[in-house]
Amino acid sequence: MIATGGTITECGNCKIHTFTGPGTFCVSTAAANAADNIVSYVVVAGGGGGGAGITTAGGAGGAGGFRELVSPSSPYTGSPLNGYPSAPNRITVTATSFPITVGAGGAGGAASPSPPVPAGSTGSNSIFSSITAAGGGSGAKEVCAGGNGGSGGGGGGIGTGTPAGGSGNTPPTTPAQGTNGGTGGANPAQGGGGGGGATAAGGAGSGSSGGNGGAGATSSINGTPTIRAGGGAGANSYGAGSVGSPGPGGGGTAGNDNPAGNGTTNTGGGGGSAGGCGPNGVKAGGTGGSGIVIIRYRFQ
């Protein structure tokens, strides 16, 4: 196979095309051996933005959806989310052009202007051919449930009740492209829920502490084991308790009476949420990390 597009590297008999932004995977010559035209890929969407902290903590953003297929023609150590050999997950390329979409991370809940917009925004989808990874769910504002997406956003803290985390794997894929967000805490547990990650759900707010972000997925498609699509960390509340830990693979770090951390660029990590009722007033949630598309195939 001969192809262009993205940043091209080699690993043994394979070429790897990495797209960190929109582009085109252009195949000028297909492989003579039909099996070599079934390409490997990782497609990760943008992570969801974390919720702002106002009275209590917001919920963290969910990771962008994680889709992967390890082709026998271009093998490597993939994640547990390897979709081979299911027919809907296989992409057999021909000599044509394939537009690539790399999803942006969702914005964090804003602390200004007044009144603030406290809920985070959903991440944007990433697309390669027939494969779409869904943007991560938004982190909730206080009192509310997290948003649905590739992985679900965390629920916001509240005086009563337990706001639900958003649903992951929305829309559904097989294997699942993500997990659910964690629930927000009730009085006196008003910490924010952690965002869901590719392979583990977000943790619930507990006490005044925030929930941990869910774990991402590890893939060696680029020749090096790399973790992507971790959930954002839930914030503490009232300046007490501990912040959650971000999910390995890019989840934003929660703020401790400060603005939250962002998801890491090109990992699809969820943005962290921000804590509430601190002396610094309303605090912004973290932005979700942008996604990535990686394509691998045998070329010799």
Side-chain angles (χ1 to χ4, degrees), residues 21-286:
T24 302
F25 180 64
C26 183
V27 180
S28 57
T29 304
N33 178 17
D36 290 341
N37 292 315
I38 301 175
V39 298
S40 298
Y41 61 79
V42 163
V43 180
V44 183
I54 304 178
T55 305
T56 62
F66 185 102
R67 308 285 306 275
E68 180 171 30
L69 183 133
V70 182
S71 170
S73 178
S74 50
Y76 61 91
T77 302
S79 74
L81 305 183
N82 175 20
Y84 188 85
S86 175
N89 298 319
R90 293 199 306 266
I91 296 178
T92 302
V93 302
T94 58
T96 190
S97 296
F98 298 86
I100 302 294
T101 299
V102 175
S112 62
S114 183
V117 182
S121 299
T122 301
S124 298
N125 297 348
S126 290
I127 303 171
F128 166 45
S129 186
S130 60
I131 300 301
T132 297
S138 55
K141 64 179 180 180
E142 61 184 51
V143 182
C144 294
N148 302 332
S151 283
I158 184 177
T160 59
T162 51
S167 297
N169 196 31
T170 304
T173 63
T174 303
Q177 60 180 308
T179 64
N180 297 339
T183 57
N187 187 33
Q190 297 183 0
T199 60
S206 177
S208 294
S209 300
N212 295 331
T218 302
S219 169
S220 296
I221 188 170
N222 58 357
T224 302
T226 304
I227 309 174
R228 302 179 180 87
N236 61 347
S237 191
Y238 295 99
S242 60
V243 298
S245 298
T253 305
N256 185 352
D257 194 31
N258 287 294
N262 300 327
T264 305
T265 302
N266 297 130
T267 68
S273 70
C277 276
N280 297 329
V282 177
K283 296 164 288 294

